[in-house]
Amino acid sequence: MEDGDQFRLSKLAGKRTRDEVAAAIRGFTPADRARLESTSRYFGRARGFEPEVLLQEALMRAVDGRSCPDHVDVVRFVAQIMRSVAHGESEKLENQVNLVAIDHFGGAADAACQVADEADDAETQLMSAERAEACKKMHDAIIALFKDDDAALLIFEGITDDLSVAEMLELAGLDKTAYQSKRKFIRRTIDKHFPNGWKS
Amino acid sequence: MKKTNKEQQALDRLADALVDDVFNASDEEILAERTEMKNLSEEDAKLKALFEQALLKANKSRLAAAKAGAAANQYPIMRAPGPIFDIATARERIRALVKAVDPSHPITLAARNENELSDTDILSMYEDLVELGVVPPITED
Protein backbone atom coordinates (compact mmCIF):
# COMPACT_ATOMS: atom_id res chain seq x y z
CA MET A 1 0.00 0.00 0.00
CA GLU A 2 1.26 3.47 -0.89
CA ASP A 3 2.09 5.93 1.85
CA GLY A 4 -0.66 8.27 0.64
CA ASP A 5 -3.27 5.49 0.91
CA GLN A 6 -1.95 4.58 4.34
CA PHE A 7 -2.31 8.20 5.44
CA ARG A 8 -5.90 8.47 4.19
CA LEU A 9 -6.88 5.13 5.77
CA SER A 10 -5.33 6.07 9.11
CA LYS A 11 -7.13 9.40 9.14
CA LEU A 12 -10.44 7.82 8.21
CA ALA A 13 -10.08 5.31 11.03
CA GLY A 14 -9.26 8.04 13.55
CA LYS A 15 -5.70 6.76 13.96
CA ARG A 16 -2.39 8.52 13.96
CA THR A 17 -0.18 7.79 10.98
CA ARG A 18 3.23 6.23 11.60
CA ASP A 19 4.87 9.56 10.75
CA GLU A 20 2.72 11.29 13.34
CA VAL A 21 3.65 8.70 15.96
CA ALA A 22 7.35 8.98 15.06
CA ALA A 23 7.15 12.78 15.25
CA ALA A 24 5.43 12.55 18.65
CA ILE A 25 8.17 10.22 19.91
CA ARG A 26 10.86 12.60 18.68
CA GLY A 27 9.03 15.39 20.47
CA PHE A 28 8.88 13.63 23.86
CA THR A 29 10.02 15.75 26.78
CA PRO A 30 12.69 14.53 29.24
CA ALA A 31 9.84 13.77 31.68
CA ASP A 32 8.06 11.65 29.06
CA ARG A 33 11.25 9.70 28.39
CA ALA A 34 11.83 9.28 32.11
CA ARG A 35 8.28 7.92 32.58
CA LEU A 36 8.77 5.40 29.81
CA GLU A 37 12.14 4.34 31.17
CA SER A 38 10.55 3.72 34.58
CA THR A 39 7.70 1.85 32.92
CA SER A 40 10.17 -0.41 31.12
CA ARG A 41 11.84 -1.25 34.45
CA TYR A 42 8.56 -2.05 36.21
CA PHE A 43 7.02 -4.16 33.46
CA GLY A 44 10.34 -5.61 32.36
CA ARG A 45 11.43 -6.89 35.71
CA ALA A 46 7.94 -8.12 36.65
CA ARG A 47 8.08 -10.45 33.65
CA GLY A 48 11.79 -11.16 33.32
CA PHE A 49 12.54 -8.81 30.40
CA GLU A 50 15.53 -6.52 29.98
CA PRO A 51 13.98 -3.06 30.40
CA GLU A 52 15.95 -1.54 27.53
CA VAL A 53 14.94 -4.32 25.13
CA LEU A 54 11.31 -3.96 26.14
CA LEU A 55 11.39 -0.20 25.62
CA GLN A 56 12.99 -0.48 22.18
CA GLU A 57 10.57 -3.18 21.11
CA ALA A 58 7.60 -1.05 22.21
CA LEU A 59 8.90 2.02 20.36
CA MET A 60 9.41 0.00 17.21
CA ARG A 61 5.94 -1.49 17.42
CA ALA A 62 4.48 1.95 18.11
CA VAL A 63 5.62 3.23 14.71
CA ASP A 64 5.35 -0.02 12.84
CA GLY A 65 2.64 -2.47 13.67
CA ARG A 66 0.31 -0.97 16.26
CA SER A 67 -2.16 1.78 15.50
CA CYS A 68 -2.48 4.65 17.91
CA PRO A 69 -5.94 6.23 18.08
CA ASP A 70 -5.92 10.02 17.63
CA HIS A 71 -7.22 10.64 21.14
CA VAL A 72 -4.60 8.50 22.90
CA ASP A 73 -1.48 10.13 24.26
CA VAL A 74 1.56 8.60 22.52
CA VAL A 75 3.51 8.27 25.80
CA ARG A 76 0.69 6.17 27.29
CA PHE A 77 0.40 4.29 24.01
CA VAL A 78 4.06 3.23 24.19
CA ALA A 79 3.66 2.30 27.87
CA GLN A 80 0.65 0.15 27.02
CA ILE A 81 2.60 -1.63 24.29
CA MET A 82 5.35 -2.42 26.82
CA ARG A 83 2.74 -3.94 29.10
CA SER A 84 1.22 -6.05 26.38
CA VAL A 85 4.61 -7.17 25.07
CA ALA A 86 5.76 -8.15 28.56
CA HIS A 87 2.50 -9.97 29.34
CA GLY A 88 1.94 -11.29 25.84
CA GLU A 89 5.32 -12.90 25.39
CA SER A 90 5.09 -14.84 28.62
CA GLU A 91 1.37 -15.60 28.31
CA LYS A 92 1.87 -16.94 24.82
CA LEU A 93 3.54 -19.87 26.52
CA GLU A 94 0.79 -20.16 29.12
CA ASN A 95 -1.99 -20.30 26.55
CA GLN A 96 -0.21 -22.47 24.10
CA VAL A 97 -2.02 -25.73 23.47
CA ASN A 98 0.37 -28.44 22.48
CA LEU A 99 -1.11 -30.96 20.12
CA VAL A 100 0.32 -34.41 19.79
CA ALA A 101 -0.51 -36.96 17.14
CA ILE A 102 -2.01 -40.19 18.40
CA ASP A 103 -0.02 -43.23 17.37
CA HIS A 104 -1.79 -44.55 14.35
CA PHE A 105 -1.96 -48.03 13.04
CA GLY A 106 -3.53 -47.84 9.66
CA GLY A 107 -6.31 -45.61 8.41
CA ALA A 108 -5.47 -42.16 7.12
CA ALA A 109 -8.11 -40.71 9.46
CA ASP A 110 -6.09 -41.92 12.46
CA ALA A 111 -3.11 -39.82 11.42
CA ALA A 112 -5.25 -36.66 11.48
CA CYS A 113 -6.40 -37.20 15.06
CA GLN A 114 -4.67 -35.01 17.60
CA VAL A 115 -5.29 -34.43 21.26
CA ALA A 116 -4.31 -31.48 23.40
CA ASP A 117 -1.31 -32.30 25.53
CA GLU A 118 -2.11 -30.64 28.85
CA ALA A 119 1.09 -31.69 30.53
CA ASP A 120 4.15 -29.41 30.39
CA ASP A 121 7.32 -30.85 29.00
CA ALA A 122 10.32 -31.09 31.29
CA GLU A 123 11.92 -27.88 30.00
CA THR A 124 8.72 -25.85 30.48
CA GLN A 125 8.27 -27.26 33.95
CA LEU A 126 11.83 -26.28 34.81
CA MET A 127 11.39 -22.78 33.40
CA SER A 128 8.08 -22.34 35.24
CA ALA A 129 9.64 -23.46 38.48
CA GLU A 130 12.59 -21.07 38.01
CA ARG A 131 10.26 -18.18 37.17
CA ALA A 132 8.04 -18.93 40.18
CA GLU A 133 11.10 -19.05 42.41
CA ALA A 134 12.40 -15.73 41.02
CA CYS A 135 8.98 -14.11 41.56
CA LYS A 136 8.86 -15.36 45.12
CA LYS A 137 12.35 -14.02 45.82
CA MET A 138 11.46 -10.60 44.38
CA HIS A 139 8.23 -10.52 46.34
CA ASP A 140 10.02 -11.39 49.59
CA ALA A 141 12.76 -8.84 48.90
CA ILE A 142 10.20 -6.07 48.45
CA ILE A 143 8.32 -7.07 51.60
CA ALA A 144 11.62 -6.92 53.51
CA LEU A 145 11.99 -3.26 52.47
CA PHE A 146 8.83 -2.32 54.34
CA LYS A 147 9.08 -4.64 57.32
CA ASP A 148 9.34 -1.68 59.73
CA ASP A 149 6.56 0.34 58.15
CA ASP A 150 3.16 -1.22 58.79
CA ALA A 151 1.20 1.26 56.68
CA ALA A 152 3.54 0.84 53.69
CA LEU A 153 3.40 -2.93 54.06
CA LEU A 154 -0.39 -2.91 54.20
CA ILE A 155 -0.60 -0.77 51.10
CA PHE A 156 1.92 -2.95 49.28
CA GLU A 157 -0.07 -6.05 50.18
CA GLY A 158 -3.29 -4.29 49.26
CA ILE A 159 -1.92 -3.50 45.80
CA THR A 160 -0.69 -7.02 45.23
CA ASP A 161 -3.97 -8.50 46.51
CA ASP A 162 -5.90 -6.21 44.15
CA LEU A 163 -7.75 -4.33 46.89
CA SER A 164 -9.57 -1.09 46.11
CA VAL A 165 -8.20 2.25 47.35
CA ALA A 166 -11.12 2.54 49.78
CA GLU A 167 -10.29 -0.86 51.28
CA MET A 168 -6.62 0.07 51.62
CA LEU A 169 -7.47 3.39 53.27
CA GLU A 170 -9.63 1.59 55.77
CA LEU A 171 -7.08 -1.14 56.43
CA ALA A 172 -4.16 1.25 56.83
CA GLY A 173 -6.22 3.84 58.73
CA LEU A 174 -4.97 6.63 56.46
CA ASP A 175 -6.62 9.57 54.77
CA LYS A 176 -6.27 9.99 51.01
CA THR A 177 -3.34 12.44 51.22
CA ALA A 178 -1.37 10.23 53.60
CA TYR A 179 -2.18 7.24 51.39
CA GLN A 180 -0.89 8.99 48.27
CA SER A 181 2.27 10.05 50.00
CA LYS A 182 2.79 6.47 51.21
CA ARG A 183 2.39 5.16 47.68
CA LYS A 184 4.98 7.63 46.49
CA PHE A 185 7.25 6.47 49.30
CA ILE A 186 6.77 2.84 48.24
CA ARG A 187 7.69 3.62 44.64
CA ARG A 188 10.72 5.71 45.57
CA THR A 189 11.95 3.08 48.03
CA ILE A 190 11.67 0.38 45.36
CA ASP A 191 13.43 2.61 42.80
CA LYS A 192 16.27 3.29 45.22
CA HIS A 193 16.81 -0.32 46.23
CA PHE A 194 16.30 -1.77 42.79
CA PRO A 195 17.61 0.84 40.34
CA ASN A 196 17.48 -1.67 37.50
CA GLY A 197 14.00 -2.84 38.42
CA TRP A 198 13.19 -4.95 41.45
CA LYS A 199 15.59 -7.70 40.55
CA SER A 200 16.55 -9.69 43.64
CA MET B 1 -0.09 -25.71 30.48
CA LYS B 2 1.78 -23.17 32.58
CA LYS B 3 -0.34 -20.98 34.89
CA THR B 4 0.53 -17.58 36.29
CA ASN B 5 1.63 -18.10 39.86
CA LYS B 6 0.44 -16.03 42.83
CA GLU B 7 3.72 -14.13 43.15
CA GLN B 8 3.76 -13.35 39.43
CA GLN B 9 0.26 -11.91 39.72
CA ALA B 10 1.38 -9.86 42.70
CA LEU B 11 4.35 -8.46 40.75
CA ASP B 12 2.12 -7.67 37.76
CA ARG B 13 -0.27 -5.73 39.97
CA LEU B 14 2.59 -3.91 41.63
CA ALA B 15 4.04 -2.99 38.21
CA ASP B 16 0.64 -1.67 37.09
CA ALA B 17 0.33 0.41 40.27
CA LEU B 18 3.85 1.83 39.96
CA VAL B 19 3.27 2.75 36.31
CA ASP B 20 -0.01 4.44 37.25
CA ASP B 21 1.83 6.45 39.89
CA VAL B 22 4.54 7.47 37.42
CA PHE B 23 1.89 8.71 35.00
CA ASN B 24 -0.05 10.52 37.72
CA ALA B 25 3.04 12.33 39.02
CA SER B 26 3.83 15.79 37.64
CA ASP B 27 6.77 16.35 35.28
CA GLU B 28 8.56 18.30 38.02
CA GLU B 29 8.19 15.44 40.50
CA ILE B 30 9.45 12.88 38.00
CA LEU B 31 12.49 14.94 37.08
CA ALA B 32 13.24 15.85 40.70
CA GLU B 33 13.22 12.16 41.69
CA ARG B 34 15.60 11.33 38.86
CA THR B 35 17.98 14.12 39.77
CA GLU B 36 18.35 12.56 43.20
CA MET B 37 19.58 9.30 41.72
CA LYS B 38 21.17 10.05 38.39
CA ASN B 39 22.78 12.73 36.29
CA LEU B 40 19.62 13.93 34.61
CA SER B 41 21.02 15.40 31.39
CA GLU B 42 23.40 12.50 30.82
CA GLU B 43 20.61 10.00 31.48
CA ASP B 44 18.21 11.84 29.17
CA ALA B 45 20.78 12.00 26.38
CA LYS B 46 21.16 8.21 26.61
CA LEU B 47 17.40 7.73 26.50
CA LYS B 48 17.04 10.11 23.57
CA ALA B 49 19.65 8.09 21.66
CA LEU B 50 17.84 4.86 22.52
CA PHE B 51 14.54 6.27 21.25
CA GLU B 52 16.15 7.50 18.03
CA GLN B 53 17.80 4.10 17.53
CA ALA B 54 14.43 2.36 17.87
CA LEU B 55 12.89 4.68 15.25
CA LEU B 56 15.79 4.02 12.90
CA LYS B 57 15.42 0.26 13.38
CA ALA B 58 11.70 0.50 12.63
CA ASN B 59 12.46 2.49 9.47
CA LYS B 60 15.10 -0.01 8.42
CA SER B 61 12.79 -2.98 8.82
CA ARG B 62 10.09 -1.11 6.88
CA LEU B 63 12.57 -0.32 4.14
CA ALA B 64 13.71 -3.94 4.00
CA ALA B 65 10.09 -5.10 3.68
CA ALA B 66 9.45 -2.54 0.92
CA LYS B 67 12.59 -3.65 -0.93
CA ALA B 68 11.56 -7.30 -0.67
CA GLY B 69 8.10 -6.42 -1.98
CA ALA B 70 9.55 -4.44 -4.89
CA ALA B 71 11.96 -7.26 -5.75
CA ALA B 72 9.10 -9.77 -5.70
CA ASN B 73 7.12 -7.62 -8.15
CA GLN B 74 10.11 -7.03 -10.39
CA TYR B 75 10.88 -10.69 -10.85
CA PRO B 76 7.60 -12.59 -10.94
CA ILE B 77 7.90 -16.26 -10.19
CA MET B 78 9.12 -17.98 -13.34
CA ARG B 79 7.63 -21.35 -13.97
CA ALA B 80 9.14 -23.82 -16.34
CA PRO B 81 6.87 -24.06 -19.36
CA GLY B 82 4.96 -27.31 -19.52
CA PRO B 83 5.61 -29.76 -22.36
CA ILE B 84 3.79 -28.97 -25.56
CA PHE B 85 1.27 -31.63 -26.44
CA ASP B 86 -0.39 -32.22 -29.71
CA ILE B 87 -3.88 -33.01 -28.45
CA ALA B 88 -4.86 -34.97 -31.61
CA THR B 89 -1.80 -37.21 -31.21
CA ALA B 90 -2.59 -37.75 -27.54
CA ARG B 91 -6.20 -38.74 -28.32
CA GLU B 92 -5.04 -41.04 -31.09
CA ARG B 93 -2.53 -42.81 -28.85
CA ILE B 94 -5.03 -43.25 -26.05
CA ARG B 95 -7.53 -44.67 -28.52
CA ALA B 96 -4.90 -47.08 -29.87
CA LEU B 97 -3.98 -48.07 -26.35
CA VAL B 98 -7.59 -48.86 -25.46
CA LYS B 99 -7.97 -50.94 -28.63
CA ALA B 100 -4.71 -52.81 -28.14
CA VAL B 101 -5.27 -53.72 -24.56
CA ASP B 102 -6.11 -57.27 -23.58
CA PRO B 103 -9.95 -57.42 -23.16
CA SER B 104 -9.53 -59.09 -19.78
CA HIS B 105 -7.43 -56.14 -18.57
CA PRO B 106 -9.51 -53.58 -16.66
CA ILE B 107 -9.77 -50.19 -18.34
CA THR B 108 -11.63 -47.28 -16.86
CA LEU B 109 -14.86 -46.17 -18.44
CA ALA B 110 -13.33 -42.72 -18.90
CA ALA B 111 -10.55 -44.12 -21.06
CA ARG B 112 -13.02 -46.13 -23.17
CA ASN B 113 -15.09 -42.99 -23.85
CA GLU B 114 -12.12 -40.92 -24.90
CA ASN B 115 -14.18 -38.87 -27.36
CA GLU B 116 -16.32 -37.57 -24.49
CA LEU B 117 -13.34 -36.29 -22.56
CA SER B 118 -12.23 -32.68 -22.69
CA ASP B 119 -8.76 -31.74 -23.98
CA THR B 120 -7.70 -30.98 -20.40
CA ASP B 121 -8.78 -34.45 -19.23
CA ILE B 122 -6.95 -36.04 -22.16
CA LEU B 123 -3.78 -34.12 -21.41
CA SER B 124 -3.95 -35.01 -17.73
CA MET B 125 -4.58 -38.68 -18.56
CA TYR B 126 -1.75 -38.71 -21.10
CA GLU B 127 0.68 -37.14 -18.61
CA ASP B 128 -0.24 -39.86 -16.10
CA LEU B 129 0.34 -42.57 -18.70
CA VAL B 130 3.70 -41.06 -19.65
CA GLU B 131 4.70 -41.03 -15.99
CA LEU B 132 3.72 -44.70 -15.73
CA GLY B 133 5.79 -45.47 -18.84
CA VAL B 134 2.78 -46.80 -20.73
CA VAL B 135 3.03 -44.29 -23.60
CA PRO B 136 6.01 -42.29 -24.89
CA PRO B 137 6.06 -38.53 -24.35
CA ILE B 138 4.88 -36.48 -27.32
CA THR B 139 7.67 -34.32 -28.67
CA GLU B 140 7.36 -31.31 -30.95
CA ASP B 141 9.11 -33.01 -33.85
Side-chain angles (χ1 to χ4, degrees), chain B residues 85 87 90-91 94 114 116-128:
Chain B
F85 278 110
I87 192 69
R91 281 186 184 275
I94 289 178
E114 159 276 318
E116 289 174 13
L117 296 175
S118 70
D119 287 354
T120 315
D121 293 336
I122 288 291
L123 290 178
S124 161
M125 187 184 286
Y126 199 87
E127 275 175 352
D128 291 344

mmCIF file of all heavy atoms in Angstrom, chain B residues 85 87 90-91 94 114 116-128:
data_model
loop_
_atom_site.group_PDB
_atom_site.id
_atom_site.type_symbol
_atom_site.label_atom_id
_atom_site.label_comp_id
_atom_site.label_asym_id
_atom_site.label_seq_id
_atom_site.Cartn_x
_atom_site.Cartn_y
_atom_site.Cartn_z
ATOM 1 N N PHE B 85 1.925 -30.412 -25.982
ATOM 2 C CA PHE B 85 1.274 -31.635 -26.439
ATOM 3 C C PHE B 85 0.486 -31.349 -27.706
ATOM 4 O O PHE B 85 -0.129 -30.295 -27.832
ATOM 5 C CB PHE B 85 0.258 -32.123 -25.391
ATOM 6 C CG PHE B 85 0.873 -32.904 -24.279
ATOM 7 C CD1 PHE B 85 0.931 -32.373 -23.014
ATOM 8 C CD2 PHE B 85 1.372 -34.180 -24.494
ATOM 9 C CE1 PHE B 85 1.472 -33.093 -21.964
ATOM 10 C CE2 PHE B 85 1.909 -34.899 -23.443
ATOM 11 C CZ PHE B 85 1.967 -34.354 -22.178
ATOM 12 N N ILE B 87 -2.715 -32.370 -29.047
ATOM 13 C CA ILE B 87 -3.883 -33.014 -28.454
ATOM 14 C C ILE B 87 -4.426 -34.141 -29.344
ATOM 15 O O ILE B 87 -4.847 -35.188 -28.843
ATOM 16 C CB ILE B 87 -4.974 -31.962 -28.121
ATOM 17 C CG1 ILE B 87 -6.073 -32.570 -27.244
ATOM 18 C CG2 ILE B 87 -5.588 -31.332 -29.347
ATOM 19 C CD1 ILE B 87 -5.621 -32.901 -25.879
ATOM 20 N N ALA B 90 -2.321 -37.152 -28.843
ATOM 21 C CA ALA B 90 -2.591 -37.747 -27.538
ATOM 22 C C ALA B 90 -3.874 -38.566 -27.587
ATOM 23 O O ALA B 90 -3.924 -39.720 -27.119
ATOM 24 C CB ALA B 90 -2.700 -36.644 -26.488
ATOM 25 N N ARG B 91 -4.919 -38.006 -28.199
ATOM 26 C CA ARG B 91 -6.201 -38.736 -28.316
ATOM 27 C C ARG B 91 -6.004 -40.033 -29.115
ATOM 28 O O ARG B 91 -6.488 -41.091 -28.739
ATOM 29 C CB ARG B 91 -7.258 -37.857 -29.012
ATOM 30 C CG ARG B 91 -7.883 -36.830 -28.093
ATOM 31 C CD ARG B 91 -9.027 -36.086 -28.784
ATOM 32 N NE ARG B 91 -9.552 -35.040 -27.935
ATOM 33 C CZ ARG B 91 -10.469 -35.205 -26.992
ATOM 34 N NH1 ARG B 91 -10.955 -36.407 -26.771
ATOM 35 N NH2 ARG B 91 -10.888 -34.205 -26.267
ATOM 36 N N ILE B 94 -4.182 -42.659 -27.102
ATOM 37 C CA ILE B 94 -5.029 -43.252 -26.048
ATOM 38 C C ILE B 94 -6.030 -44.220 -26.672
ATOM 39 O O ILE B 94 -6.265 -45.313 -26.167
ATOM 40 C CB ILE B 94 -5.738 -42.147 -25.220
ATOM 41 C CG1 ILE B 94 -4.711 -41.438 -24.347
ATOM 42 C CG2 ILE B 94 -6.865 -42.733 -24.348
ATOM 43 C CD1 ILE B 94 -5.228 -40.299 -23.523
ATOM 44 N N GLU B 114 -13.093 -41.987 -24.691
ATOM 45 C CA GLU B 114 -12.120 -40.918 -24.904
ATOM 46 C C GLU B 114 -12.712 -39.720 -25.626
ATOM 47 O O GLU B 114 -12.412 -38.577 -25.337
ATOM 48 C CB GLU B 114 -10.919 -41.527 -25.646
ATOM 49 C CG GLU B 114 -10.036 -40.576 -26.394
ATOM 50 C CD GLU B 114 -10.536 -40.250 -27.777
ATOM 51 O OE1 GLU B 114 -11.002 -41.164 -28.482
ATOM 52 O OE2 GLU B 114 -10.483 -39.069 -28.147
ATOM 53 N N GLU B 116 -15.465 -38.430 -25.334
ATOM 54 C CA GLU B 116 -16.316 -37.571 -24.489
ATOM 55 C C GLU B 116 -15.482 -36.746 -23.524
ATOM 56 O O GLU B 116 -16.011 -35.923 -22.784
ATOM 57 C CB GLU B 116 -17.303 -38.444 -23.678
ATOM 58 C CG GLU B 116 -18.387 -39.054 -24.553
ATOM 59 C CD GLU B 116 -19.259 -40.030 -23.772
ATOM 60 O OE1 GLU B 116 -19.174 -40.039 -22.524
ATOM 61 O OE2 GLU B 116 -20.002 -40.768 -24.417
ATOM 62 N N LEU B 117 -14.193 -37.021 -23.521
ATOM 63 C CA LEU B 117 -13.341 -36.294 -22.559
ATOM 64 C C LEU B 117 -12.868 -34.959 -23.134
ATOM 65 O O LEU B 117 -12.637 -34.848 -24.346
ATOM 66 C CB LEU B 117 -12.115 -37.144 -22.193
ATOM 67 C CG LEU B 117 -12.392 -38.448 -21.455
ATOM 68 C CD1 LEU B 117 -11.090 -39.228 -21.269
ATOM 69 C CD2 LEU B 117 -13.013 -38.165 -20.082
ATOM 70 N N SER B 118 -12.721 -33.991 -22.249
ATOM 71 C CA SER B 118 -12.227 -32.680 -22.690
ATOM 72 C C SER B 118 -10.732 -32.777 -22.983
ATOM 73 O O SER B 118 -10.057 -33.728 -22.548
ATOM 74 C CB SER B 118 -12.467 -31.638 -21.605
ATOM 75 O OG SER B 118 -11.595 -31.898 -20.517
ATOM 76 N N ASP B 119 -10.196 -31.760 -23.678
ATOM 77 C CA ASP B 119 -8.760 -31.736 -23.979
ATOM 78 C C ASP B 119 -7.938 -31.755 -22.685
ATOM 79 O O ASP B 119 -6.911 -32.430 -22.597
ATOM 80 C CB ASP B 119 -8.404 -30.471 -24.784
ATOM 81 C CG ASP B 119 -8.906 -30.580 -26.226
ATOM 82 O OD1 ASP B 119 -9.411 -31.666 -26.593
ATOM 83 O OD2 ASP B 119 -8.794 -29.573 -26.952
ATOM 84 N N THR B 120 -8.426 -31.037 -21.675
ATOM 85 C CA THR B 120 -7.704 -30.983 -20.400
ATOM 86 C C THR B 120 -7.624 -32.366 -19.780
ATOM 87 O O THR B 120 -6.573 -32.783 -19.281
ATOM 88 C CB THR B 120 -8.418 -30.016 -19.425
ATOM 89 O OG1 THR B 120 -8.752 -28.837 -20.135
ATOM 90 C CG2 THR B 120 -7.579 -29.695 -18.215
ATOM 91 N N ASP B 121 -8.775 -33.093 -19.793
ATOM 92 C CA ASP B 121 -8.783 -34.454 -19.234
ATOM 93 C C ASP B 121 -7.834 -35.363 -19.996
ATOM 94 O O ASP B 121 -7.118 -36.165 -19.407
ATOM 95 C CB ASP B 121 -10.206 -35.048 -19.279
ATOM 96 C CG ASP B 121 -11.163 -34.329 -18.360
ATOM 97 O OD1 ASP B 121 -10.664 -33.710 -17.371
ATOM 98 O OD2 ASP B 121 -12.373 -34.348 -18.605
ATOM 99 N N ILE B 122 -7.832 -35.210 -21.317
ATOM 100 C CA ILE B 122 -6.955 -36.041 -22.158
ATOM 101 C C ILE B 122 -5.490 -35.759 -21.817
ATOM 102 O O ILE B 122 -4.688 -36.680 -21.627
ATOM 103 C CB ILE B 122 -7.239 -35.762 -23.659
ATOM 104 C CG1 ILE B 122 -8.586 -36.361 -24.051
ATOM 105 C CG2 ILE B 122 -6.119 -36.305 -24.555
ATOM 106 C CD1 ILE B 122 -8.622 -37.892 -24.073
ATOM 107 N N LEU B 123 -5.168 -34.480 -21.711
ATOM 108 C CA LEU B 123 -3.777 -34.121 -21.410
ATOM 109 C C LEU B 123 -3.355 -34.674 -20.058
ATOM 110 O O LEU B 123 -2.262 -35.217 -19.899
ATOM 111 C CB LEU B 123 -3.603 -32.592 -21.416
ATOM 112 C CG LEU B 123 -3.696 -31.942 -22.801
ATOM 113 C CD1 LEU B 123 -3.568 -30.437 -22.690
ATOM 114 C CD2 LEU B 123 -2.622 -32.493 -23.729
ATOM 115 N N SER B 124 -4.267 -34.534 -19.081
ATOM 116 C CA SER B 124 -3.951 -35.015 -17.734
ATOM 117 C C SER B 124 -3.759 -36.542 -17.759
ATOM 118 O O SER B 124 -2.824 -37.085 -17.176
ATOM 119 C CB SER B 124 -5.080 -34.585 -16.795
ATOM 120 O OG SER B 124 -5.057 -35.356 -15.651
ATOM 121 N N MET B 125 -4.662 -37.214 -18.470
ATOM 122 C CA MET B 125 -4.577 -38.676 -18.557
ATOM 123 C C MET B 125 -3.287 -39.087 -19.270
ATOM 124 O O MET B 125 -2.586 -40.001 -18.834
ATOM 125 C CB MET B 125 -5.795 -39.206 -19.332
ATOM 126 C CG MET B 125 -5.911 -40.712 -19.336
ATOM 127 S SD MET B 125 -7.303 -41.252 -20.353
ATOM 128 C CE MET B 125 -8.670 -40.837 -19.314
ATOM 129 N N TYR B 126 -2.952 -38.355 -20.333
ATOM 130 C CA TYR B 126 -1.754 -38.709 -21.096
ATOM 131 C C TYR B 126 -0.492 -38.515 -20.250
ATOM 132 O O TYR B 126 0.413 -39.353 -20.263
ATOM 133 C CB TYR B 126 -1.673 -37.873 -22.390
ATOM 134 C CG TYR B 126 -0.746 -38.517 -23.389
ATOM 135 C CD1 TYR B 126 -1.224 -39.490 -24.274
ATOM 136 C CD2 TYR B 126 0.610 -38.210 -23.420
ATOM 137 C CE1 TYR B 126 -0.371 -40.135 -25.163
ATOM 138 C CE2 TYR B 126 1.469 -38.831 -24.299
ATOM 139 C CZ TYR B 126 0.975 -39.797 -25.172
ATOM 140 O OH TYR B 126 1.827 -40.435 -26.044
ATOM 141 N N GLU B 127 -0.484 -37.409 -19.487
ATOM 142 C CA GLU B 127 0.679 -37.142 -18.606
ATOM 143 C C GLU B 127 0.853 -38.279 -17.609
ATOM 144 O O GLU B 127 1.966 -38.734 -17.347
ATOM 145 C CB GLU B 127 0.484 -35.826 -17.853
ATOM 146 C CG GLU B 127 0.925 -34.599 -18.640
ATOM 147 C CD GLU B 127 0.619 -33.310 -17.917
ATOM 148 O OE1 GLU B 127 -0.069 -33.335 -16.862
ATOM 149 O OE2 GLU B 127 1.068 -32.263 -18.398
ATOM 150 N N ASP B 128 -0.294 -38.752 -17.071
ATOM 151 C CA ASP B 128 -0.237 -39.860 -16.104
ATOM 152 C C ASP B 128 0.327 -41.121 -16.767
ATOM 153 O O ASP B 128 1.150 -41.829 -16.191
ATOM 154 C CB ASP B 128 -1.634 -40.165 -15.538
ATOM 155 C CG ASP B 128 -2.140 -39.054 -14.644
ATOM 156 O OD1 ASP B 128 -1.303 -38.208 -14.228
ATOM 157 O OD2 ASP B 128 -3.349 -39.010 -14.375
#
